[in-house]
Amino acid sequence: MIRVSDEVRDASSVVALETTLVAHGFPPGEGVEVGLASEAAVRQGGAVPATIGVLDGEIVVGLTAEELGRFGADARKLGPRDIAAAVTQRAVGATTVGGTLAVCRAAGITVMATGGLGGVHRGWPTPPDVSADLQALASTQVLVVSSGVKSLLDVPATTELLETLGVPVLGYRTDDLPLFYAAHGGPPVSARVESADEAAAIARAHWKIGGGGLLVGRPPDDSLDDAEPLIERALAEAAALGVRGQAVTPFVLAYLHRESGGRTLAANRDLIVGNARLAGAVAVSL
Ligand code: PSU
Ligand code: MN
């Protein structure tokens, strides 16, 4: 049921990459380019990328560029609970962070890179929406490099829940969690690290005592400090139009990309690629 590419199987250092952001995080066509750029960045870090998704009745670990091209806006979004149905029904399925972590556990991969982790939605409990990413991260021995959590979430509530779940939140050369587009401004991290080696050493120690996943927050290289008012407008617009559930993230991202004149799009791409590069270095160190 799981097809691992030859290159990934033979590699000593592997970084998993998700496909939801490829299919749903960027305008049509652009996500694939971001996915390929992330793979190149993992290689720059010295590791082998394993982009993960469901195709033709299989979970694929290490999609080819051609296969990645099939992950368009019509792909199903797969959290951990959705993978089995997508495989059985032979759907094209794009894994979220949580879905990708579930595959990492099955395939023995211990490092992953993404843009932003899912978490607690603003206004909780209306809607009562908490991403399955959190439970998956808490229960999987994988280190995830991101620029914090998705920009449209309640960041303080999400970090409280990560603490409750026992997930270390490491700041890569920062004392506070990056706010996705903005390099700083989130809650304090549980520990600051100065290097990929230090993050890897903490992960090893955490796993030795039976711990689960860890989050490494890497600030974007170019901080975009005026995104917050736009995010609030996008969420208000989504609510007014009755956009709900899984449709919210693609709606908000498209709104931001349009209203910022493409600045959030470029920032989103660059931060994902930077996170993939750091994840590559962590994987090599591990
Ligand atoms: N952050 C982004 N774009 C995205 C996502 C996160 O900037 O597309 C995706 C990731 O795949 C993440 C998922 O795992 O959103 C979380 O979705 P949900 O809240 O429905 O669990
Ligand atoms: Mn959600």
Side-chain angles (χ1 to χ4, degrees):
M1 201 172 82
I2 301 185
R3 167 162 57 91
V4 182
S5 74
D6 291 344
E7 191 194 14
V8 170
R9 194 183 327 103
D10 295 343
S12 47
S13 309
V14 176
V15 173
L17 300 169
E18 57 153 307
T19 34
T20 289
L21 67 85
V22 171
H24 305 297
F26 288 87
E30 295 191 37
V32 174
E33 191 278 321
V34 175
L36 293 174
S38 306
E39 291 189 353
V42 168
R43 291 186 196 282
Q44 274 176 18
V48 168
T51 303
I52 291 174
V54 171
L55 269 187
D56 305 325
E58 286 180 317
I59 299 168
V60 184
V61 178
L63 291 160
T64 65
E66 196 186 358
E67 287 171 336
L68 194 61
R70 291 174 61 189
F71 287 80
D74 52 350
R76 272 194 212 176
K77 178 177 167 182
L78 307 185
R81 70 168 186 178
D82 305 307
I83 295 172
V87 170
T88 305
Q89 298 170 345
R90 304 184 73 83
V92 177
T95 51
T96 64
V97 172
T100 306
L101 289 171
V103 178
C104 285
R105 181 170 7 180
I109 297 172
T110 58
V111 181
M112 148 165 210
T114 188
L117 185 72
V120 182
H121 281 257
R122 294 184 195 188
W124 189 92
T126 39
D129 186 343
V130 178
S131 174
D133 288 358
L134 298 184
Q135 163 64 20
L137 182 58
S139 61
T140 313
Q141 292 189 325
V142 174
L143 179 149
V144 176
V145 180
S146 77
S147 295
V149 304
K150 276 202 296 203
S151 59
L152 66 165
L153 299 175
D154 182 335
V155 181
T158 303
T159 46
E160 284 294 340
L161 196 44
L162 285 167
E163 180 176 354
T164 302
L165 291 167
V167 175
V169 177
L170 309 181
Y172 181 71
R173 299 178 180 165
T174 178
D175 295 311
D176 58 355
L177 193 66
L179 288 176
F180 200 76
Y181 299 115
H184 295 284
V189 295
S190 62
R192 174 186 174 120
V193 296
E194 300 299 335
S195 66
D197 285 340
E198 196 179 1
I202 292 173
R204 270 196 304 273
H206 188 59
W207 295 334
K208 238 179 224 163
I209 56 168
L214 305 88
L215 189 68
V216 173
R218 189 196 70 94
D221 298 311
D222 300 308
S223 187
L224 226 174
D225 294 322
D226 55 356
E228 183 53 34
L230 273 185
I231 295 167
E232 278 163 29
R233 271 174 27 215
L235 287 169
E237 179 87 355
L241 293 172
V243 179
R244 273 188 294 273
Q246 289 196 342
V248 174
T249 298
F251 178 90
V252 168
L253 292 178
Y255 184 100
L256 296 178
H257 296 160
R258 197 171 59 243
E259 295 294 312
S260 70
R263 285 187 307 131
T264 59
L265 187 70
N268 201 344
R269 177 195 184 281
D270 292 351
L271 67 84
I272 290 167
V273 170
N275 293 344
R277 191 174 302 118
L278 176 59
V282 173
V284 169
S285 182
L286 273 172

